[in-house]
Amino acid sequence: MTLTLVGKALHDSHEYGPGQGWDADPRSRGAYLTDARIAVMAWDPTFGACRVCGSPTRLIADLGEVPLANCFETDAPRFPLRVEMCDDCVLPQLEETVDPHLMFDDYPYQSSQSRTFVEAARELVSRQDVQPDDFVVEIGSNDGYLLRHYDCHVLGVDPSNVTSDVPTLRAFFDADVAHSICVTRGPAKIIHANNVIAHCPDPHTVFAGIKNLLDSDGYALIESPYPGHLVDQWDTIYHEHVFYWTYTAIARAAAKHGLVVTDAEPIAMHGGSLRYRLAHQGVPLDLGEHLDIDGLTRRLMVEPEALAKKVSELQRAGKVVCGYGAAAKGSVLLSVSGIDLEFVCDTTPTKVGKVMPGTTIPIVPTSDLFRADVAVLLAWNFRDEILERESWWAGEWLMPHEVTG
Ligand code: DWN
Ligand code: ZN
């Protein structure tokens, strides 16, 4: 991989010579490599403490050194992937913070590749009561899969180079960006943030921005995968997902910035998410929460190995085993379980022709599925859509989280 970008460290940065890793100082959080193989470390005074409330955190899972999940190159940079828990906020979060520029400036993921996702966005938009003069903003708008369904003024905010069919401000959303949008375009009636607050290492600037940009009677709709499902979905742990937001944590972070969570609607997306509604005022929800952290740890100890055993049995029996869906989570699954696949099928033009991160496993068009006897469904969250789309194929599907030891 060619990394010309040094990027901005989250905090004051210091440079180190070759051979000095992220563990050179216990307070370091996040590191990345330049062309010159110089590690630049972000010094973070909150290391070992919750990014939301500052309480001490405890280590709950260690997935080893894992390549960046959306860097489809053999020498994709690897970073430690460890999850810590803040018991006060009920908030799992990563120990390391990888520079967001490194992960998102050049981003191959396209939301519109999944019909399920686009249809859910269309349905959500159809339920909002907007007038032609209203202004709607989406944080992490990707290719415009959601905002394109609105008949009013819209603005996407997204840091990546993905091509979008809606007006988009290329930026990481924060308090400054929100302020400048508010000054130039006025306040927003609705702010959407789907599958993006997990990716923002500084939630305070995001919530402050939402507070500032939201009209007095406006509301924000924030969707985020619910970590109660992490036990079955450990492959959704990767560097892009700094946080695994719970209701308690969202409510707490929002309250610090004068926002109230007035609803938390369970939705099926990504194996089970919550759609939070935030406003300037309202009656806060009161939800008790408990996360099965021990279950996650237990599952991590057995499932990757069981999957690797199953795949190698199939391969020894002469079966051609491929993967389906070059999803970020698929990359984690391959990396942690160590399984080798013949190829991975995917519909995304920006992924086909590349390799799964940190491997030589090629990504090929979905028409190549005919060459496989067995396909590991890496994009298990779109199971129904994919099985319907590929119903012509006579091979066997292997559901990675259903393999038992
Ligand atoms: O949070 C994130 C989620 C929302 O999206 C990001 N950090 C990155 C991304 O995660 P992912 O890559 O695991 O997302 P998906 O949407 O589960 O990826 C599905 C993959 O499967 C895509 O590469 C598209 C592909 N696909 C396909 O080849 N045929 C998808 C469908 C539905 C299909 O029919
Ligand atoms: Zn906390």
Side-chain angles (χ1 to χ4, degrees):
M1 153 177 218
T2 311
L3 281 179
T4 45
L5 168 89
V6 172
K8 289 192 203 114
L10 294 170
H11 303 273
D12 296 335
S13 65
H14 299 263
E15 295 202 349
Y16 288 87
Q20 289 177 283
W22 36 73
D23 55 356
D25 186 289
R27 292 176 307 142
S28 64
R29 185 185 244 174
Y32 48 95
L33 302 176
T34 68
D35 268 351
R37 316 303 286 176
I38 302 288
V40 179
M41 320 234 297
W43 295 80
D44 189 339
T46 66
F47 190 81
C50 172
R51 293 171 177 85
V52 170
C53 73
S55 295
T57 48
R58 63 187 169 95
L59 185 69
I60 56 170
D62 187 345
L63 286 79
E65 285 199 8
V66 174
L68 293 184
N70 267 306
C71 181
F72 294 93
E73 298 182 22
T74 302
D75 61 353
R78 290 171 182 269
F79 298 99
L81 187 56
R82 287 191 287 255
V83 188
E84 298 181 326
M85 178 75 184
C86 172
D87 292 306
D88 282 352
C89 297
V90 195
L91 181 58
Q93 52 197 283
L94 294 190
E95 183 183 76
E96 309 289 328
T97 310
V98 174
D99 188 316
H101 286 280
L102 184 56
M103 295 189 286
F104 302 118
D105 284 1
D106 183 12
Y107 202 54
Y109 177 73
Q110 297 171 358
S111 304
S112 298
Q113 290 298 317
S114 309
R115 198 188 61 221
T116 313
F117 206 40
V118 175
E119 283 311 313
R122 190 199 307 276
E123 196 267 336
L124 177 62
V125 170
S126 74
R127 286 202 273 137
Q128 310 313 314
D129 181 17
V130 286
Q131 304 305 314
D133 275 348
D134 284 336
F135 179 42
V136 177
V137 172
E138 186 185 10
I139 306 170
S141 49
N142 196 264
D143 58 9
Y145 75 99
L146 185 143
L147 287 180
R148 71 171 74 120
H149 305 298
Y150 273 107
D151 283 323
C152 65
H153 303 288
V154 298
L155 179 69
V157 182
D158 198 292
S160 78
N161 56 350
V162 67
T163 307
S164 175
D165 51 13
V166 300
T168 305
L169 175 66
R170 192 171 173 189
F172 288 97
F173 182 89
D174 61 17
D176 292 341
V177 167
H179 179 71
S180 67
I181 296 172
C182 205
V183 168
T184 53
R185 302 285 305 266
K189 170 164 182 168
I190 304 172
I191 300 176
H192 289 280
N194 287 356
N195 304 301
V196 69
I197 51 160
H199 304 63
C200 303
D202 181 357
H204 291 296
T205 192
V206 173
F207 286 106
I210 293 174
K211 173 75 184 173
N212 184 251
L213 182 56
L214 210 52
D215 213 344
S216 52
D217 61 347
Y219 55 95
L221 293 172
I222 296 180
E223 294 182 15
S224 196
Y226 189 69
H229 309 291
L230 264 186
V231 173
D232 303 317
Q233 302 168 4
W234 52 265
D235 45 353
T236 60
I237 299 171
Y238 47 91
H239 303 100
E240 289 176 21
H241 297 164
V242 180
F243 291 104
Y244 303 82
W245 285 100
T246 56
Y247 164 74
T248 309
I250 295 252
R252 191 169 188 162
K256 278 184 193 279
H257 299 279
L259 291 163
V260 185
V261 179
T262 59
D263 193 20
E265 177 193 357
I267 54 172
M269 196 54 69
H270 297 303
S273 302
L274 283 185
R275 178 183 293 141
Y276 303 92
R277 190 179 198 279
L278 278 68
H280 291 292
Q281 60 281 114
V283 181
L285 282 180
D286 186 14
L287 297 179
E289 276 183 317
H290 168 74
L291 287 186
D292 183 9
I293 296 302
D294 294 343
L296 169 66
T297 314
R298 272 198 307 276
R299 186 65 84 95
L300 263 172
M301 282 169 72
V302 294
E303 195 176 284
E305 208 177 311
L307 183 64
K309 189 164 158 249
K310 174 78 182 166
V311 169
S312 70
E313 276 167 14
L314 289 164
Q315 288 166 332
R316 277 204 304 276
K319 305 273 190 196
V320 174
V321 186
C322 77
Y324 192 102
K329 64 180 83 65
S331 158
V332 177
L333 191 113
L334 297 189
S335 176
V336 175
S337 67
I339 61 174
D340 194 12
L341 299 171
E342 202 74 16
F343 53 87
V344 172
C345 298
D346 198 282
T347 53
T348 316
T350 44
K351 295 183 183 176
V352 169
K354 299 191 174 163
V355 293
M356 291 302 283
T359 77
T360 53
I361 302 170
I363 301 171
V364 300
T366 52
S367 53
D368 277 38
L369 186 56
F370 79 93
R371 297 200 277 125
D373 301 305
V374 180
V376 182
L377 188 58
L378 301 173
W380 45 258
N381 47 325
F382 296 120
R383 177 182 181 145
D384 292 349
E385 179 179 344
I386 291 172
L387 266 55
E388 187 192 322
R389 179 196 167 97
E390 311 300 355
S391 56
W392 56 273
W393 180 59
E396 182 194 337
W397 290 102
L398 184 64
M399 303 302 159
H401 296 303
E402 293 172 17
V403 174
T404 47

